[in-house]
Every structure is written in C-alpha cells, then in structure tokens.
Amino acid sequence: MAPTKTHFGSSLDYISKHRSQNPSSRTIVVTGATAGIGLAITNHLLSSSSQHLVILTGRKIDVLEDLEAKNPDRVISRAGDMSDLDYVKLVLQGLHLDGRLDGLILNHGTFGSCLRIKDIEVEDWESTFRINVSSCVALIKAAVPLLRPSKGRIVFTSSGAASNAYSSWGAYGASKAAINHLAMTLKSEEPEITTVSVRPGVVDTAMQVDIREKFLQNLDEKDQKKFGSAKDDGILLPPEKPGRVIAELAIRAEKALSGQFLSWDDPKLAAYRTD
C-alpha cells in the first residue's frame, strides 16, 4: 500500500465540510490499529454515529486496505513498522487536517524477546524501548502542534507490568513504566492537552498467545500457572472491553484525568465504558 492518500474524502475541503456537518466528529490517530485492542478501538470509532475520522498505522496492509475500502471518506492509513523512527516521523507529514487533530491513541507495542536480564542482549532491550517509547515520543512531537488548537487528548495503552515486575518481562515492563512517566510529563509540559495512560488488563490478543506458546518457560512457576491457563480458565478479556474505554477517552477524556495511569475498569473511568 503506497501512502499516497493525503486527505479525507474526495477533496481538500472535505474535512472542513465534514466537521461542519458533524460537529461531534473527532479526528483521531490510532497506532497498532490492525489487530487486538487497536482494531477494537478503530471499529468503535468507525461505528460511532459521530462519524469520526481516523488515521491508522499498522503492519497488516490487508487490514488497512479493508478499513479504507469500507470507509473511503473517513480512513487514512499509513502502513509501517514503529521500529522505523523515520517512518514514524512521517506518519502525519503531508496530511491535510485543516490545522487540527483531536486525539492520538498510542496503542502499538512489542513484548520483546522476553528474556531475563542476565540473558538478554542490550540490543534487544534497546529495540523494545525504540518501539514502545521512542516511537511514541516521535509521534507525539509531530502531533502536539495539531493537538493544541483542539485541546486534544493523548491516550497510551500501557500495562500492569509497568508497576508489577515479572521475571523475563524487564524490558517490556520498564518501557511501559516509561510511557506512564511520559504521560505525567506531558501533563506538565502540555497542560492544554489531556494525557491518560490505561492498563487494559489481561486481554485475549496475540501477545497472550506468545506468552503461552513461546515465553512461558521464562516466567517464574507461579506466573507460568497464571498465564498458561488464562485462556482455558476464561479470564482473558475480549479486546473490545478496554478498546471501547480507550477510544472514548480519546474522544472526551476530562482534564482531571490528565497524567494518570488507570486500569480500564477503574471507577474513575466508569463514564467511558459503553457496555
């Protein structure tokens, strides 16, 4: 998929007309949009009667093409790998957004090689941080000038591993702790932009498949039992549950939430749950 589409609809003035006709419509970027929580977020935004406009990133070109085909006026996609910072810096470049972006959902991420610190290569650690942290910084840097006019929102998909250590999850957990700190920093540096970091819980995604099938032996025994049987025990959440909360936060998160790290089912987020 060549990234040739630079505007929504059939002409440059489509976005201003669309916003005028749909005053509750928001223009939102979703990273990691082609699977799991990211796809759930995307589907929620596109199914809204508010007719939101979305800019999507992801590696699954077929999924992006399908989303564009089904929503030709409301989807712009940018296929690529978030480990490539040159690509990340260009995601918003050249897009005609009429000077405004309402939301940035940073949902992409990698689990990394899932090795204990004594076994992991420093390069693996750096790669995890490049995808989970540095790419977020690059995209935030590009998005902030567009978010300021709308007093927009930034939402991170974080993890419980940010505050709960698991053996062999060091790089992943530390990178998620870093984006939680990034949310706090943005609260101070960009007070007009509301930034929230969300713990989505244990979700039925490809990451859990990798934990069960590739990395289980690297965990401590008690965690092997917890994650090894999570699917069979029926404790995995469908991605739609946290996905809907994250999407709604990008649309209408209150300023009082800025800088916080909250579980998707925290009482503070009850107003953002639609199920």
Side-chain angles (χ1 to χ4, degrees):
M1 171 186 282
T4 56
K5 189 174 180 181
T6 60
H7 57 80
F8 293 102
S10 58
S11 62
L12 291 178
D13 63 353
Y14 175 88
I15 193 168
S16 60
K17 291 179 179 178
H18 178 86
R19 287 170 173 166
S20 177
Q21 294 167 358
N22 302 275
S24 61
S25 177
R26 299 291 178 262
T27 306
I28 297 173
V29 176
V30 184
T31 69
T34 58
I37 295 172
L39 185 56
I41 291 167
T42 299
N43 287 333
H44 181 79
L45 292 171
L46 289 173
S47 66
S48 171
S49 60
S50 295
Q51 297 289 297
H52 301 303
L53 305 174
V54 296
I55 301 156
L56 307 176
T57 79
R59 291 180 296 173
K60 296 183 178 180
I61 296 175
D62 58 331
V63 177
L64 293 174
E65 288 178 339
D66 183 61
L67 289 165
E68 275 201 4
K70 290 177 178 176
N71 307 274
D73 292 332
R74 296 171 52 211
V75 172
I76 294 174
S77 64
R78 291 288 184 263
D81 194 316
M82 300 301 279
S83 67
D84 181 354
L85 297 184
D86 290 332
Y87 153 75
V88 177
K89 293 173 185 178
L90 295 176
V91 166
L92 293 175
Q93 186 169 310
L95 293 186
H96 183 78
L97 301 175
D98 208 19
R100 189 188 103 199
L101 184 66
D102 299 293
L104 172 61
I105 299 175
L106 295 161
N107 169 75
H108 67 280
T110 181
F111 199 51
S113 56
C114 193
L115 292 170
R116 294 173 183 245
I117 292 172
K118 68 180 181 63
D119 299 318
I120 197 168
E121 298 294 335
V122 172
E123 290 77 11
D124 290 343
W125 190 281
E126 289 185 332
S127 175
T128 299
F129 266 71
R130 182 169 63 252
I131 295 170
N132 291 358
V133 183
S134 299
S135 65
C136 291
V137 175
L139 195 47
I140 290 166
K141 181 179 173 65
V144 159
L146 295 166
L147 290 165
R148 285 173 179 159
S150 65
K151 297 184 178 180
R153 288 135 176 116
I154 298 172
V155 186
F156 294 97
T157 300
S158 186
S159 170
S163 54
N164 295 294
Y166 296 95
S167 295
S168 76
W169 290 21
Y172 175 74
S175 69
K176 292 300 184 178
I179 63 172
N180 291 351
H181 194 280
L182 184 54
M184 292 189 291
T185 302
L186 285 165
K187 177 187 177 182
S188 298
E189 294 185 355
E190 299 293 336
E192 295 301 310
I193 298 172
T194 300
T195 304
V196 187
S197 190
V198 178
R199 174 189 175 274
V202 185
V203 186
D204 194 2
T205 63
M207 176 179 154
Q208 286 298 319
V209 175
D210 285 345
I211 291 172
R212 292 194 302 271
E213 298 182 359
K214 296 180 182 179
F215 304 131
L216 200 63
Q217 71 280 3
N218 297 340
L219 288 166
D220 293 338
E221 184 177 354
K222 62 180 177 60
D223 296 323
Q224 289 182 19
K225 292 177 180 178
K226 174 183 176 180
F227 291 102
S229 63
K231 177 76 169 179
D232 291 339
D233 292 344
I235 66 172
L236 297 182
L237 290 168
E240 289 74 19
K241 285 194 172 184
R244 285 192 290 262
V245 172
I246 292 168
E248 288 296 319
L249 284 168
I251 296 166
R252 55 188 178 92
E254 296 177 356
K255 180 64 67 179
L257 298 173
S258 199
Q260 296 192 50
F261 170 44
L262 299 167
S263 177
W264 76 277
D265 58 353
D266 189 289
K268 291 181 181 179
L269 301 184
Y272 304 93
R273 293 197 290 273
T274 59
D275 53 343

